[in-house]
Amino acid sequence: MTRTHLGMPAFPPTFPAFPEAAGEAVRDRVLRANLRHATHTIRDKRARAVAELEDWDRLRAAGKAIKDHTLRHLDHYLIRLEESVTAAGGTVHWAADADEANRIVTDLVRATGQREVVKVKSMATQEIGLNEALEAAGIAAYETDLAELIVQLGHDRPSHILVPAIHRNRGEIRDIFRAEMGEWGRPAPEGLGDDPRELAEAARLHLREKFLRAEVAVSGANFMVAETGTMVVFESEGNGRMCLTLPRTLISVVGIEKVVPTFRDLEVFLQTLPRSSTAERMNPYTTMWTGTTDGDGPSAFHLVLLDNGRTDTLADETGRQALRCIRCSACLNVCPVYERAGGHAYGSVYPGPIGAILSPQLRGTASEIDATLPYASTLCGACYEVCPVAIDIPEVLVHLRERVAQGGPVTREGIRVTVRPAHGHAAERAAMRAARLLLDRPAALRAGERLLARARRLAPRRLPGPGRAWTDTRELPDLPAESFRDWWTNRERETPQ
């Protein structure tokens, strides 16, 4: 198979800045309609599912506490995990970055003599571009999650954490299946319509032959239990269980932050993740496996523990809370920016509010796209309200905006360095310095307020220079006839004692 038929376009390092990409996306009416319908449907169902639990707030606090404790002692629990996996018959590999992880997986597949793998939906493998790396080595990687299959067949990119093909409607999916399935394996049935049941059946028939002949599978994991070495995958379709049980060799690529200390800790996340993601009381398929067992499941299990910027993120006391994320996608479904711009505008496999704080930390803020992601938010706080592990996304966004505009110390590849301010923020820094000087001098502030009040009829409707972008979509508020300070002083004088 050639690259034309395999893989999906990766997010390029030269992806345009968020304002440019979002500006193009919001002009696509079909995309906006697809996003609006899907996100509103998912978030309404989630709200009902969460409301069923009287102790949701306590579960949320417990999830946060478990994650925070684990991150504080991550070195200890990762070593414990390696010991447990090894004792259960698995093999653990450590990958410092994407290149190392891709090299490890490619070598493991080559060692089996196979030239194709089936895959469970995995954000980590998308993050490192594993499909493209395998393809370059002559290995075909087939996605088996329905939405990921749609994205792969369409030579597209995922645009949502939970529903990667959220930007596609039923008619578009039917056309993709008709045009592409035959190039990848079993073709779509004759006369395929756009009924969801027909589309699901076409995907099931197409994938079944791949499941039955696959010798190697690649997965991620939602959680890893340090105490027992158990891997946990939550899914809704059953494709994951086929991948995790039928092949002879299973390779799991998992971010180091996915570890939890004990099996009992899963009790919290078994309740919060399904309700917060798919609005279900429990996932239809929750698959757990511990190492290898003779005569049951894969005979060889390899766990690739991925860092790829996570240790550097851990060094940031404010930013590290992004590593609590359990990939439920609830923040995407309530975000007014994501709803209008879609996931592709974020230039990352992690779109929406969580992507706006995770990607710039994993990749740094040197590129144009990563320097603009912290600004891809209204700071309304809806993302924090729905997060099942209480990540204060607005706090981290403001923290990263300061880093972009002011520069400062960060950790890169384990070394403490000082980054320079990103290009284009000189006016912002000058405005903040001027505001600080003015606010530190009450008399000057009072004089400025009175001057603005007297000149209010001369106020422009649009700002010049760097402020033009702000007034392109907003009107300047009318200046009051007097400042609040003067109004209060006059009120006090006129009020009888």
Side-chain angles (χ1 to χ4, degrees):
M1 302 287 275
T2 67
R3 189 176 181 83
T4 303
H5 291 160
L6 283 177
M8 62 188 72
F11 288 96
T14 56
F15 201 85
F18 181 83
E20 294 176 42
E24 182 178 346
V26 297
R27 289 190 288 271
D28 187 333
R29 293 187 177 182
V30 174
L31 172 66
R32 291 186 62 175
N34 293 347
L35 289 169
R36 186 184 313 111
H37 172 74
T39 55
H40 284 227
T41 299
I42 296 171
R43 76 190 192 196
D44 290 345
K45 288 182 177 179
R46 176 200 175 276
R48 292 193 293 271
V50 167
E52 293 179 351
L53 296 181
E54 294 181 359
D55 61 346
W56 177 261
D57 287 342
R58 294 196 295 277
L59 285 168
R60 185 177 188 239
K64 174 182 182 294
I66 292 168
K67 282 289 190 175
D68 281 346
H69 167 80
T70 308
L71 291 172
R72 282 196 301 271
H73 305 282
L74 189 58
D75 54 346
H76 166 75
Y77 289 117
L78 288 174
I79 295 299
R80 179 81 183 277
L81 174 69
E82 181 181 33
E83 294 170 348
S84 300
V85 170
T86 303
T91 304
V92 176
H93 310 262
W94 299 80
D97 55 27
D99 289 341
E100 188 173 8
N102 287 332
R103 186 167 58 253
I104 291 169
V105 176
T106 300
D107 289 345
L108 289 172
V109 177
R110 280 175 170 164
T112 67
Q114 298 297 312
R115 285 295 176 262
E116 63 179 31
V117 302
V118 290
K119 289 186 70 221
V120 184
K121 179 176 179 289
S122 163
M123 302 297 294
T125 59
Q126 291 172 8
E127 175 190 327
I128 63 176
L130 178 62
N131 285 14
E132 292 75 23
L134 290 174
E135 185 179 346
I139 300 168
Y142 296 108
E143 298 288 349
T144 63
D145 174 83
L146 176 57
E148 290 287 357
L149 175 67
I150 295 165
V151 169
Q152 189 176 40
L153 290 175
H155 310 287
D156 202 351
R157 296 188 303 266
S159 63
H160 192 278
I161 290 176
L162 178 67
V163 194
I166 195 172
H167 56 291
R168 298 290 193 182
N169 58 39
R170 294 185 300 180
E172 292 173 314
I173 295 169
R174 175 203 59 210
D175 294 342
I176 290 171
F177 280 9
R178 285 177 174 178
E180 299 292 337
M181 270 188 170
E183 297 293 327
W184 295 65
R186 179 169 179 154
E190 289 290 331
L192 178 66
D194 64 359
D195 182 272
R197 288 170 296 187
E198 286 187 62
L199 296 172
E201 180 63 16
R204 184 178 296 111
L205 294 173
H206 176 81
L207 290 172
R208 184 58 57 95
E209 65 175 18
K210 292 181 168 51
F211 288 137
L212 293 178
R213 74 166 185 252
E215 296 288 332
V216 182
V218 176
S219 83
N222 294 99
F223 302 99
M224 306 179 290
V225 182
E227 176 185 44
T228 60
T230 302
M231 305 289 115
V232 186
V233 167
F234 291 22
E235 48 135 350
S236 299
E237 299 169 12
N239 64 293
R241 186 160 295 177
M242 298 285 279
C243 289
L244 298 168
T245 56
L246 292 179
R248 295 178 184 274
T249 301
L250 173 59
I251 305 167
S252 298
V253 182
V254 191
I256 56 175
E257 81 281 14
K258 295 296 187 70
V259 66
V260 295
T262 69
F263 203 85
R264 184 174 181 179
D265 293 323
L266 291 177
E267 176 189 356
V268 172
F269 303 110
L270 282 166
Q271 298 180 74
T272 57
L273 180 53
R275 290 177 186 268
S276 204
S277 57
T278 57
E280 296 169 300
R281 296 182 180 93
M282 184 176 180
N283 281 90
Y285 297 89
T286 301
T287 304
M288 304 183 187
W289 72 97
T290 306
T292 59
T293 302
D294 291 339
D296 184 13
S299 56
F301 170 58
H302 298 270
L303 171 61
V304 181
L305 292 172
L306 178 68
D307 189 321
N308 206 37
R310 286 159 174 79
T311 301
D312 291 341
T313 304
L314 187 63
D316 187 325
E317 291 186 6
T318 300
R320 71 173 59 148
Q321 58 185 300
L323 298 178
R324 292 204 299 258
C325 177
I326 57 175
R327 310 290 192 266
C328 72
S329 77
C331 61
L332 281 68
N333 300 322
V334 299
C335 178
V337 176
Y338 175 87
E339 180 186 321
R340 289 158 178 80
H344 292 160
Y346 292 82
S348 168
V349 298
Y350 303 112
I354 188 60
I357 66 171
L358 187 58
S359 298
Q361 295 192 87
L362 295 180
R363 303 190 303 204
T365 54
S367 70
E368 192 175 20
I369 179 63
D370 289 312
T372 55
L373 282 180
Y375 296 87
S377 170
T378 64
L379 299 180
C380 67
C383 50
Y384 170 67
E385 295 299 324
V386 298
C387 179
V389 286
I391 301 171
D392 193 341
I393 293 178
E395 178 188 30
V396 183
L397 286 167
V398 172
H399 172 66
L400 293 176
R401 289 181 185 186
E402 180 182 5
R403 178 181 300 173
V404 169
Q406 302 283 2
V410 298
T411 302
R412 286 286 171 263
E413 298 182 3
I415 301 172
R416 198 70 170 164
V417 298
T418 300
V419 297
R420 298 176 61 83
H423 176 71
H425 291 270
E428 180 182 347
R429 292 193 298 274
M432 295 306 295
R433 283 195 294 268
R436 184 170 63 246
L437 288 171
L438 188 62
L439 293 172
D440 282 344
R441 294 165 174 79
L445 177 62
R446 187 178 296 110
E449 289 172 342
R450 288 174 177 170
L451 178 62
L452 283 173
R454 289 171 183 168
R456 63 194 181 94
R457 296 183 186 278
L458 304 176
R461 303 309 300 171
R462 291 170 62 106
L463 293 174
R468 187 183 305 130
W470 197 87
T471 52
D472 278 346
T473 54
R474 305 171 181 84
E475 290 186 355
L476 282 174
D478 293 329
L479 291 171
E482 58 182 348
S483 68
F484 174 81
R485 192 192 308 266
D486 287 342
W487 173 84
W488 184 265
T489 301
N490 293 334
R491 175 182 176 279
E492 289 294 297
R493 289 173 181 168
E494 295 170 3
T495 302
Q497 299 297 319

